[in-house]
Amino acid sequence: LAKTTQPISMDSYEGQEVNITCSHNNIATNDYITWYQQFPSQGPRFIIQGYKTKVTNEVASLFIPADRKSSTLSLPRVSLSDTAVYYCLVGPFTGGGNKLTFGTGTQLKVEL
Amino acid sequence: GAVVSQHPSWVICKSGTSVKIECRSLDFQATTMFWYRQFPKQSLMLMATSNEGSKATYEQGVEKDKFLINHASLTLSTLTVTSAHPEDSSFYICSAPREQQFQETQYFGPGTRLLVL
């Protein structure tokens, strides 16, 4: 599984856009990029998943450059409730259950 | 959306006893489920892969005789921590993959907090 590297922590203020970049230099051709959010004492929650270019949903956007060696999770206009740990994961779609290897994640702290 | 539940949400037990944690996929079937453990301020660590109808596969360093996994049906996997000790106190989380539109998404349970006294 491709190893990922993210910043350990980030600080922001309410209303700002937050961009969290993840490096995955060894990403394989059949790997997808998935981001999860985790609040304390809760299981991770799926945010967004993509393979290339740009993906957008009601929560976030995911930007993936052509070489796919990195990806950026973009959270528009964050609020205090977005304070959480964000994990970037890379792995193949096996169709039978894909083992996920979690890295350190990025602790995002949003302040007033 | 897909929902995965866990029961109990928290449990306190005495050292030496066994504790069973259930993981259910509520609105989809899962032939494979995963069990993770998370210590405070740390990331999730995969413990084992639960396979319906066959034996679980364990990650390196995880004692299969201590952490018994049974995938009884397509919607239920159980993790039993046998002869629990204080060092087994942790946050246990399960997940189940769901295939949708040629992509696979892992849905996680809310977690079970285990405290061994």
Side-chain angles (χ1 to χ4, degrees), chain B residues 48-80:
Chain B
T49 302
S50 175
N51 304 299
E52 190 271 336
S54 63
K55 292 182 179 180
T57 54
Y58 292 81
E59 296 300 301
Q60 190 173 10
V62 178
E63 299 176 56
K64 62 180 181 180
D65 294 330
K66 181 170 184 61
F67 299 99
L68 301 179
I69 291 173
N70 182 25
H71 202 132
S73 73
L74 289 173
T75 60
L76 174 63
S77 173
T78 61
L79 168 68
T80 302

Side-chain angles (χ1 to χ4, degrees), chain B residues 23-111:
Chain B
C23 176
R24 294 180 185 273
S25 55
L26 296 183
D27 56 354
F28 66 102
Q29 294 181 333
T31 56
T32 303
M33 292 184 177
F34 300 94
W35 287 95
Y36 297 83
R37 181 167 52 180
Q38 186 175 33
F39 293 106
K41 302 294 185 182
Q42 294 187 22
S43 185
L44 284 78
M45 289 191 62
L46 179 65
M47 298 175 66
T49 302
S50 175
N51 304 299
E52 190 271 336
S54 63
K55 292 182 179 180
T57 54
Y58 292 81
E59 296 300 301
Q60 190 173 10
V62 178
E63 299 176 56
K64 62 180 181 180
D65 294 330
K66 181 170 184 61
F67 299 99
L68 301 179
I69 291 173
N70 182 25
H71 202 132
S73 73
L74 289 173
T75 60
L76 174 63
S77 173
T78 61
L79 168 68
T80 302
V81 183
T82 63
S83 186
H85 291 286
E87 57 265 31
D88 298 322
S89 299
S90 188
F91 191 52
Y92 292 85
I93 307 169
C94 69
S95 74
R98 184 180 188 185
E99 299 174 27
Q100 289 179 295
Q101 298 180 339
F102 305 107
Q103 288 190 348
E104 182 182 271
T105 303
Q106 291 268 359
Y107 290 93
F108 288 81

